[in-house]
Amino acid sequence: MKKIMLTIIALVTVTVASGQLRNPIIGGYHPDPSVCRVGDTFYLVNSSFQYFPGVPIYKSTDLVNWTLVGNVLTRDSQLPLKGANSWLGIYAPTIRYNDGTYYMITTNVGNGGNFMVTAKDPAGPWSEPLWLEQQGIDPSLYFENGKCYMVSNPDNTIMLCEIDPKTGKTLSKGKAIWRGTGGRYPEGPHIYKKDGYYYLLISEGGTELAHKLTIARSKNIYGPYESNPANPILTNCNMKGQSMQIQVRDMVTSYRL
């Protein structure tokens, strides 16, 4: 586990050392980024909380220069915001692509909970919401072998279930797969697969200065998941990072180095 994670960190270091990447890659109000790659194009979405239209979507071919494509949620029927304030509304969307369709899954806190929308073109139009049974916040999707899996964090536990991507219907009972390393608010789960292992990346510690990223892996998507002994893999909760605010919650394959 430690060797694999050092490889990922090395790739990030090489990219930054090239002199092309500067943070923030999109300045201003763009919290909770999620990214996916389709061909040679990267698509990125952000939280929008109580604002309308919701969930801005950007595209890039180099991870440096980003162009606003539009917004995912552009109709009142997609984005009810009754009574919403800065603590409510759209939390931490995830964007994914599978078999010709784009998926955006997120939480509307205070107005319905978890849902997803789909589109054939990231510029839209996007579908009406498919409301989901498994709650918690920060839901994400993982596709494999014709199946669609959903992860979220009800009751501060990372739960996994299979859903129908066309209807949103739950196809399997939710299973608890990880509770993190002991930090508060285990959330923002994403599943990736590499070299026969499923990797579960989450955030812990809340969104304040104790924020950190931790990761675990398993040979079976349902677990058990083994925590990386080198966790956390990224944090600002130390002397070197105390003057920074980090917020990273997704991974994507970029270029072969």
Side-chain angles (χ1 to χ4, degrees):
M1 171 69 79
K2 185 175 182 180
K3 180 178 179 181
I4 291 174
M5 293 320 304
L6 288 175
T7 301
I8 294 174
I9 293 171
L11 291 179
V12 174
T13 304
V14 170
T15 303
V16 174
S18 70
Q20 296 178 346
L21 179 62
R22 293 291 182 270
N23 282 312
I25 56 172
I26 304 175
Y29 177 62
H30 295 94
D32 303 323
S34 173
V35 62
C36 74
R37 180 180 179 179
V38 182
D40 292 328
T41 303
F42 301 90
Y43 295 96
L44 182 149
V45 294
N46 298 102
S47 294
S48 53
F49 299 102
Q50 78 271 38
Y51 293 101
F52 185 95
V55 187
I57 181 167
Y58 290 81
K59 71 175 181 179
S60 173
T61 56
D62 59 9
L63 293 174
V64 177
N65 301 290
W66 293 86
T67 301
L68 180 65
V69 173
N71 288 80
V72 175
L73 306 175
T74 59
R75 305 186 298 274
D76 290 340
S77 58
Q78 295 172 308
L79 184 54
L81 289 171
K82 183 178 180 180
N85 55 35
S86 59
W87 292 97
L88 302 175
I90 299 299
Y91 276 35
T94 291
I95 186 169
R96 293 291 182 258
Y97 175 84
N98 183 66
D99 196 23
T101 299
Y102 293 85
Y103 297 81
M104 191 284 296
I105 184 171
T106 188
T107 311
N108 188 339
V109 179
N111 282 281
N114 290 334
F115 71 96
M116 67 179 180
V117 291
T118 63
K120 293 298 183 181
D121 183 338
W126 289 77
S127 72
E128 290 299 300
L130 298 173
W131 296 98
L132 306 167
E133 296 176 36
Q134 182 167 294
Q135 291 302 301
I137 60 171
D138 304 348
S140 182
L141 298 174
Y142 175 77
F143 294 89
E144 186 177 35
N145 297 328
K147 294 184 177 182
C148 176
Y149 298 92
M150 171 187 171
V151 280
S152 62
N153 75 331
D155 300 319
N156 286 320
T157 301
I158 307 303
M159 302 285 291
L160 173 73
C161 68
E162 184 185 346
I163 65 172
D164 184 333
K166 294 182 179 180
T167 66
K169 182 180 179 181
T170 300
L171 301 179
S172 69
K173 183 178 179 180
K175 177 178 172 58
I177 58 174
W178 201 35
R179 290 180 172 82
T181 63
R184 67 173 186 159
Y185 305 141
E187 58 192 9
H190 292 298
I191 292 177
Y192 314 92
K193 192 174 185 180
K194 186 179 188 302
D195 299 332
Y197 280 95
Y198 296 93
Y199 287 85
L200 175 59
L201 176 71
I202 72 168
S203 298
E204 300 183 50
T207 57
E208 303 85 21
L209 294 179
H211 187 77
K212 59 185 177 180
L213 290 183
T214 58
I215 198 164
R217 72 177 185 178
S218 174
K219 286 284 190 177
N220 188 313
I221 194 169
Y222 285 102
Y225 280 82
E226 170 195 4
S227 179
N228 179 11
N231 278 326
I233 60 173
L234 184 63
T235 185
N236 60 345
C237 192
N238 52 39
M239 184 175 292
K240 290 183 178 180
Q242 62 184 337
S243 62
M244 299 185 298
Q245 179 85 16
I246 64 168
Q247 195 173 63
V248 184
R249 56 175 303 273
D250 212 345
M251 292 183 182
V252 66
T253 301
S254 57
Y255 303 103
R256 293 181 182 228
L257 301 177

